[in-house]
């Protein structure tokens, strides 16, 4: 069977075969899989009405549409799916097993978020110190990334787990990696200040993740504290206090005097009971999420993990992200050795061969060998993804892909002082390019570009601007590895110019048809193997080989979407024939050509913008 021809380039037909592609693949990736020329796929997609470049990532639907057109069934595989399949090859699944009725209730896992200086750290300290049981247990409380306290509700002792990294860092880092850890968000708002940009951001993060919120109205000990104002302000964001008829619990607290802390803990438990049914199977193979990982001088790689299901024990063979090993010891936040850890329990695991990343999942497997094999396979995949990631992530030069569906440019602004950050943000917000493209600053702050900024950028496809500051510590490495676009400026107008140029680039290119030439058919030749060729005379402009063409008969368009596939003068192939000259025009597999038809050639040109 002859290869079908689209736009003059032949494509290998799939005949319904399936081809698998990772999410965010480009036409070049597809071309590689099916043995086609990337340019041919670009052309084919153009005929379907989509303009993309060969290396731009293409969304799932478009890939599938293109696949259908050329006879391939395209299966888009997300990284999560890939990992699921990897685990399946070992007969493993990440998730709950068994009958829900047999599961046991588990404590809620809480993340504290809110605007800087509203008291997140202080509140986490205050909560940690209310813990009677911990004091009895002795031991010095250490920061291991999470801790569990026991609170009393209606005479019953109830544990609650807190993620001990305040702010959005941990939350977004986890979310960026697809891990769902937090059951409830405590949103801290200082009563003497009010709802601030990061308050709104935190709220957006929580709502996007569909996590219930408890509001801690903090610093009520301070003069000028106005808790009622906070309630009022938050109604605008859909958080209506119970006392105003809504379903969000607001608790007035002071992290300094510890007033209201018990009420806050009760509110957390009541919210959990009212809107969540937190259960886990304690019997299955243990699984969970890495909260933080570090290299300890004495103990080697140490990871704080949160057990989500099963019971983690000393001696278990474990794989966490691309790290593996055998659990040598389990330590709680007081440095006490534990024999086992139940769901929602944060523990330090010693015994891994390398340091996993926050947000990695962990699984316990039967044998060390299996743990190692899974880790090896993940390492290989991470390397592959890294090679590809540079072009997958958004950058100022290649914005169009990410903005296809979402016509918004997200920015993070970091600067050396709040004045310049504000000035830059204000100036950027004044840029106007078009109604359907917007600029959004999702985070701003004073200080160097931190790892958490990059994590946030990863979760939402963001460009990070550093004004008189640089990336700190691991941030540069992470940004490079993940291909996050970080730009440094020392002059405001330069930043504005670049962003403005980027926004202009985001405008969908507009194309207009430009007529190139017309030719009248004088005679039709049948050429073996090629088909009908139109012996024509060029009536206007020029006819070019490979240009797009349509056929007109008696003033009506008979066929559109044709291509001048062959062009000859006498016996010679030529690329161009001018007005007044005769030539032979072949329109590929299109054979319905008659004397007196008119062939019109044209091209699509991008309209320049002003
Ligand atoms: P974070 O940036 O949200 O973690 O805020 P911090 O916990 O570091 O607190 C910021 C400042 O507010 C510190 O100086 C705290 O001592 C102070 N602070 C926190 N909570 C309270 C409170 O309830 N009352 C008073 N008066 N000060 C507080």
């Amino acid at each position: 069977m002859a290869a079908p021809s689209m736009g003059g380039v032949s494509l290998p037909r799939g005949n319904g075969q399936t081809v698998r592609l990772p999410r965010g693949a480009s036409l070049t990736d597809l071309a590689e899989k099916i043995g086609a020329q990337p340019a041919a796929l670009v052309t084919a997609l153009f005929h379907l009405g989509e303009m993309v470049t060969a290396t731009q990532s293409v969304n799932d639907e478009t890939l599938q549409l293109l696949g259908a057109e050329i006879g391939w069934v395209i299966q888009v595989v997300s990284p999560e799916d890939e990992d699921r399949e990897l685990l399946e090859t070992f007969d493993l699944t990440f998730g709950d097993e068994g009958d829900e009725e047999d599961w046991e209730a588990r404590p809620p896992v809480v993340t504290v978020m809110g605007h800087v200086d509203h008291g997140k750290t202080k509140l986490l300290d205050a909560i940690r110190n209310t813990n009677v049981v911990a004091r009895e247990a002795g031991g010095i409380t250490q920061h291991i990334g999470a801790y569990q306290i026991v609170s009393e509700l209606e005479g019953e002792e109830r544990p609650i787990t807190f993620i001990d990294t305040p702010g959005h860092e941990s939350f977004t880092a986890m979310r960026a990696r697809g891990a769902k850890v937090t059951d409830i968000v405590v949103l801290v708002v200082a009563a003497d200040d009010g709802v601030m940009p990061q308050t709104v951001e935190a709220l957006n993060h929580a709502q996007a993740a569909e996590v219930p919120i408890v509001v801690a109205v903090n610093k009520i000990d301070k003069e000028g504290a106005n808790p009622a104002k906070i309630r009022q302000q938050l109604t605008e964001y859909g958080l209506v206090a119970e006392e105003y008829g809504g379903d969000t619990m607001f608790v007035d607290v002071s992290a300094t005097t510890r007033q209201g802390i018990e009420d806050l803990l009760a509110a957390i438990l009541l919210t959990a009971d009212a809107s969540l049914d937190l259960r886990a199977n304690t019997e299955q193979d243990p699984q969970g999420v890495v909260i933080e990982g570090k290299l300890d001088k004495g103990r080697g790689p140490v990871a704080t993990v949160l057990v989500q299901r099963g019971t983690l024990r000393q001696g278990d063979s474990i794989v966490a992200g691309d790290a593996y090993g055998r659990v040598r010891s389990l330590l709680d936040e007081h440095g006490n050795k534990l024999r086992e850890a139940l769901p929602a329990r944060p523990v330090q695991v010693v015994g891994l061969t390398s340091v996993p990343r926050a947000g990695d999942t962990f699984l316990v497997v039967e044998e060390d060998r299996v743990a190692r094999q899974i880790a090896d396979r993940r390492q290989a995949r991470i390397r592959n993804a890294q090679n590809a990631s540079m072009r997958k992530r958004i950058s100022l030069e290649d914005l169009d892909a990410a903005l296809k569906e979402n016509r918004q440019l997200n920015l993070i602004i970091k600067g050396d002082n709040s004045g310049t950050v504000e000035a830059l943000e204000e100036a950027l917000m004044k840029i106007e390019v078009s109604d359907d493209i917007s600029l959004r600053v999702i985070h701003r702050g004073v200080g160097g570009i931190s790892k958490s900024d990059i994590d946030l950028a990863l979760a939402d496809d963001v460009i990070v601007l550093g004004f008189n500051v640089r990336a700190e510590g691991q941030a540069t490495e992470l940004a490079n590895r993940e291909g996050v676009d970080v730009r440094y400026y020392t002059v405001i107008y330069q930043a504005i110019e670049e962003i403005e140029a980027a926004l202009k680039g985001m405008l969908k290119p507009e194309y207009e048809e430009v007529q190139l030439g017309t030719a009248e058919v004088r005679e039709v030749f049948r050429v073996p193997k090629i088909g009908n060729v139109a012996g024509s005379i060029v009536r206007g402009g020029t006819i070019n080989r490979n240009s797009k063409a349509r056929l007109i008969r008696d003033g009506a368009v008979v066929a559109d979407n044709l291509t001048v596939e062959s062009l000859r003068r006498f016996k010679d192939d030529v690329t161009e024939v001018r007005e007044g000259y005769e030539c032979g025009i072949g329109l590929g597999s299109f054979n319905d050509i008659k004397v007196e038809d008119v062939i019109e050639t044209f091209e699509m040109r991008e309209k320049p913008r002003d």
Side-chain angles (χ1 to χ4, degrees):
M1 188 190 112
S5 148
M6 296 195 80
V9 196
S10 61
L11 283 166
R13 272 206 85 81
N15 294 326
Q17 291 166 71
T18 300
V19 46
R20 291 163 60 85
L21 285 173
R23 173 148 303 141
S26 66
L27 295 185
T28 305
D29 299 328
L30 173 60
E32 243 167 60
K33 293 253 167 142
I34 64 172
Q37 293 293 331
L41 293 177
V42 172
T43 312
L45 196 52
F46 179 82
H47 284 295
L48 294 171
E50 287 250 17
M51 282 294 301
V52 297
T53 63
T55 54
Q56 189 175 322
S57 46
V58 181
N59 69 27
D60 299 4
E61 294 80 58
T62 309
L63 279 175
Q64 275 151 357
L65 182 74
L66 175 63
E69 188 65 25
I70 59 174
W72 294 84
V73 176
I74 304 215
Q75 240 182 46
V76 181
V77 196
S78 65
E80 294 80 26
D81 286 341
E82 265 186 277
D83 201 62
R84 193 172 307 131
E85 285 166 20
L86 166 62
L87 294 177
E88 271 168 16
T89 60
F90 293 94
D91 232 356
L92 294 165
T93 39
F94 187 80
D96 296 297
E97 279 170 22
D99 201 343
E100 205 164 335
E101 282 166 20
D102 304 331
W103 298 352
E104 283 178 44
R106 66 160 177 88
V109 178
V110 179
T111 298
V112 175
M113 300 209 272
H115 196 71
V116 64
D117 276 349
H118 279 197
K120 298 178 293 290
T121 312
K122 190 115 184 135
L123 187 66
L124 277 162
D125 286 343
I127 293 167
R128 193 193 333 257
N129 292 326
T130 55
N131 194 2
V132 200
V133 178
R135 275 207 291 276
E136 283 167 3
I140 303 153
T141 308
Q142 302 168 355
H143 285 269
I144 66 165
Y147 64 80
Q148 197 172 70
I149 55 115
V150 178
S151 174
E152 220 180 78
L153 184 71
E154 289 150 9
E156 201 186 330
E157 287 205 335
R158 304 262 311 257
I160 307 173
T161 301
F162 285 88
I163 304 294
D164 197 11
T165 343
H168 317 168
E169 296 114 74
S170 55
F171 195 78
T172 43
M174 302 274 173
R175 203 161 69 88
R177 324 260 341 266
K180 290 188 189 71
V181 172
T182 305
D183 299 311
I184 292 180
V185 163
V186 167
L187 182 64
V188 180
V189 192
D192 64 337
D193 196 5
V195 171
M196 298 298 281
Q198 282 170 275
T199 317
V200 177
E201 231 174 84
L203 200 145
N204 289 341
H205 278 306
Q207 285 174 341
E210 294 182 357
V211 173
I213 297 171
V214 172
V215 181
V217 181
N218 191 30
K219 305 198 187 184
I220 51 155
D221 60 295
K222 279 184 95 167
E223 213 173 304
N226 188 350
K229 188 184 92 183
I230 309 296
R231 285 167 173 73
Q232 181 56 44
Q233 286 182 332
L234 281 173
T235 54
E236 279 174 40
Y237 299 93
L239 284 188
V240 183
E242 278 191 331
E243 56 265 43
Y244 296 163
D247 51 14
T248 303
M249 297 191 76
F250 280 64
V251 187
D252 294 342
V253 298
S254 163
T256 307
T257 67
R258 297 213 194 139
Q259 184 189 337
I261 301 294
E262 293 292 347
D263 295 338
L264 178 62
L265 298 177
I268 291 168
L269 291 170
L270 289 169
T271 300
D273 291 348
S275 43
L276 307 163
D277 183 23
L278 301 172
R279 292 177 177 284
N281 182 346
T282 53
E283 306 283 328
Q284 70 169 89
D285 284 334
Q287 299 179 339
V289 174
V290 176
I291 304 290
E292 68 174 46
K294 61 173 185 197
L295 194 60
D296 185 288
K297 276 205 188 94
R299 298 178 294 170
V302 176
T304 298
V305 304
L306 183 83
V307 179
Q308 292 184 302
R309 56 193 76 88
T311 306
L312 184 63
R313 296 192 173 87
Q314 210 179 320
D316 281 345
S317 294
I318 187 173
V319 52
D322 61 350
Y324 69 97
R326 174 101 46 113
V327 179
R328 203 159 62 227
S329 56
L330 290 173
L331 301 164
D332 70 5
E333 61 273 28
H334 313 293
N336 297 328
K337 275 205 172 184
L338 301 181
R339 273 223 134 75
E340 55 177 42
L342 284 161
R345 173 108 253 334
V347 271
Q348 274 195 324
V349 171
V350 183
L352 290 167
T353 49
S354 59
V355 183
R357 295 191 292 166
D360 279 339
T361 55
F362 82 80
L363 288 96
V364 166
V365 295
E366 286 295 315
E367 292 174 68
D368 295 353
R369 184 181 53 86
V370 173
R372 198 190 62 240
Q373 282 172 354
I374 295 172
D376 286 349
R377 299 266 284 272
R378 282 178 175 164
Q379 268 166 21
R381 209 182 45 222
I382 291 169
R383 273 196 304 275
N384 287 342
Q386 272 168 14
N387 293 338
S389 74
M390 296 310 285
R391 66 157 196 272
K392 297 281 164 59
R393 290 278 172 204
I394 186 167
S395 79
L396 275 188
E397 282 78 27
D398 184 27
L399 270 171
D400 17 356
L403 296 159
K404 242 184 150 110
E405 305 123 65
N406 174 16
R407 306 192 67 68
Q408 174 170 296
L409 178 57
N410 291 329
L411 298 174
I412 293 178
I413 304 176
K414 294 301 283 280
D416 53 343
N417 66 63
S418 56
T420 48
V421 172
E422 270 164 37
L424 182 57
E425 177 168 359
E426 207 171 295
L428 289 171
M429 293 323 268
K430 286 201 187 114
I431 300 177
E432 266 180 35
V433 191
S434 151
D435 288 344
D436 62 339
I437 291 172
S438 59
L439 194 83
R440 194 167 73 111
V441 176
I442 62 160
H443 177 57
R444 82 276 298 146
V446 174
I449 295 162
S450 65
K451 193 171 156 294
S452 77
D453 293 329
I454 305 294
D455 279 329
L456 184 61
L458 278 176
D460 290 303
D461 270 346
V462 175
I463 291 172
V464 185
L465 308 185
F467 194 78
N468 282 332
V469 293
R470 285 284 177 274
E472 306 170 329
Q474 300 171 318
T476 307
E477 191 214 313
L478 181 66
N480 287 341
R481 193 173 63 216
E482 303 282 357
V484 173
D485 194 357
V486 181
R487 311 219 144 203
Y488 300 110
Y489 302 97
T490 48
V491 195
I492 285 196
Y493 81 78
Q494 202 186 354
I496 293 164
E497 264 181 20
E498 274 197 33
I499 298 300
E500 191 167 352
L503 287 171
K504 281 200 175 138
M506 280 164 67
L507 294 169
K508 267 210 175 107
E510 278 174 34
Y511 290 86
E512 58 187 351
E513 186 183 311
V514 180
Q515 221 192 65
L516 298 175
T518 51
E520 189 189 312
V521 181
R522 293 288 197 72
E523 213 177 328
V524 179
F525 305 102
R526 221 192 108 97
V527 182
K529 284 189 195 142
I530 292 184
N532 287 349
V533 167
S536 320
I537 176 156
V538 181
R539 287 298 185 199
T542 58
I543 302 291
N544 298 67
R545 185 141 46 103
N546 290 333
S547 71
K548 293 163 66 61
R550 60 173 64 94
L551 190 90
I552 296 160
R553 186 171 299 154
D554 300 329
V557 176
V558 176
D560 217 332
N561 239 338
L562 303 172
T563 305
V564 177
E565 295 208 359
S566 68
L567 188 63
R568 285 192 157 193
R569 266 189 62 70
F570 305 108
K571 291 257 173 276
D572 301 326
D573 280 321
V574 291
T575 51
E576 183 187 283
V577 179
R578 271 177 295 151
E579 188 177 337
Y581 289 92
E582 294 190 330
C583 59
I585 301 173
L587 296 171
S589 55
F590 182 81
N591 285 316
D592 175 21
I593 305 171
K594 295 209 163 77
V595 174
E596 282 183 20
D597 284 351
V598 172
I599 294 170
E600 201 178 276
T601 61
F602 59 95
E603 68 179 12
M604 300 306 289
R605 264 190 218 154
E606 192 175 334
K607 271 189 174 170
R609 279 181 208 286
D610 33 55

